[in-house]
Amino acid sequence: MPFPSTPTPPILDGALVRLEPLDHRHAAHLAAAADEDRTSYRFTWVPTAADVGDYVDTQLARAAAGTLMPYAQVEKTSGRAIGATAYWDPRLWPDRDALYAVEVGFTWLAASAQGTGINTEAKLLLFANAFDNWNVARVDLKTDARNTLSRTAIERTGARFEGVLRRWSRSWAPGEAGLLRDSAMYSIIDAEWPGCRATLEARLRRTPNT
């Protein structure tokens, strides 16, 4: 299901990170970011430096189809794109052109940007836009059920674990091309958003220990 008819995706601007609609102008910086230590990417789709151009093409094609709203994560201090994220899997109310749910995913950061508060603030910006501007009832997050680092990061946003869906989506783990993974599913609903916002804001105040 495509996103409802909207103008260009909004730029989401924070103190540490600015989320800009993904574009080929971000490719060189993303290639450098992807070429850092890749230890944390075992279960995540992160392009190699050589593949960043194709990665951007793929995400922009999904954006053109209306199924994805991809962003570059731009570090405010350097002005460099140090990762990516996206809204995707939009679900619309059956009787009107408006979202009731969306997923936040396709997220990765350069190793040097991890643990700096950038991921925390990016999630705060994405969630706030979805709940406060789009008035969604639910935001989804999911990850490979084996990805303990990602699951811990998701849980620290305040999202609630809903269970594991077996053989739910493609695996990105090395040696598992063409195989399916079990996905750990999480969500935040509108009634939980104020508490989640407070949690994320408190974590940002403790930066860099977020």
Side-chain angles (χ1 to χ4, degrees):
M1 183 178 295
F3 281 93
S5 300
T6 60
T8 302
I11 293 174
L12 305 176
D13 202 11
L16 302 174
V17 65
R18 182 172 60 255
L19 302 182
E20 300 177 353
L22 182 67
D23 187 84
H24 277 288
R25 65 189 173 84
H26 298 115
H29 288 167
L30 289 176
D35 208 30
E36 294 185 17
D37 181 3
R38 297 177 61 88
T39 304
S40 64
Y41 301 155
R42 181 183 173 194
F43 299 108
T44 306
W45 180 38
V46 180
T48 64
D51 292 334
V52 163
D54 290 340
Y55 167 85
V56 174
D57 283 340
T58 297
Q59 297 299 69
L60 292 182
R62 290 171 169 162
T67 59
L68 185 80
M69 195 175 286
Y71 283 94
Q73 301 197 61
V74 177
E75 184 181 46
K76 295 289 287 286
T77 55
S78 67
R80 297 174 61 85
I82 42 76
T85 191
Y87 292 116
W88 80 298
D89 193 19
R91 277 104 72 205
L92 307 186
W93 292 101
D95 57 347
R96 62 184 188 270
D97 191 35
L99 287 169
Y100 74 84
V102 70
E103 183 167 334
V104 169
F106 289 100
T107 300
W108 62 274
L109 279 174
S112 60
Q114 295 173 21
T116 64
I118 284 176
N119 181 61
T120 300
E121 188 176 61
K123 290 297 190 296
L124 178 61
L125 293 169
L126 290 162
F127 296 165
N129 181 65
F131 284 112
D132 300 340
N133 296 330
W134 292 346
N135 298 311
V136 301
R138 172 186 171 100
V139 169
D140 305 332
L141 303 101
K142 72 173 183 286
T143 189
D144 192 306
R146 300 166 293 180
N147 192 343
T148 55
L149 287 176
S150 179
R151 292 182 66 168
T152 297
I154 290 172
E155 289 164 3
R156 291 177 73 190
T157 69
R160 295 195 183 186
F161 176 57
E162 294 185 325
V164 172
L165 296 181
R166 296 176 298 167
R167 297 174 61 81
W168 180 251
S169 54
R170 68 174 294 181
S171 174
W172 297 104
E176 295 185 1
L179 300 181
L180 297 172
R181 75 181 195 193
D182 295 346
S183 291
M185 311 297 290
Y186 295 82
S187 72
I188 302 163
I189 61 172
D190 48 2
E192 297 163 349
W193 167 231
C196 177
R197 183 202 294 272
T199 295
L200 292 169
E201 290 175 342
R203 287 180 58 197
L204 281 172
R205 288 193 293 271
R206 297 194 299 269
T207 301
N209 298 312
T210 56

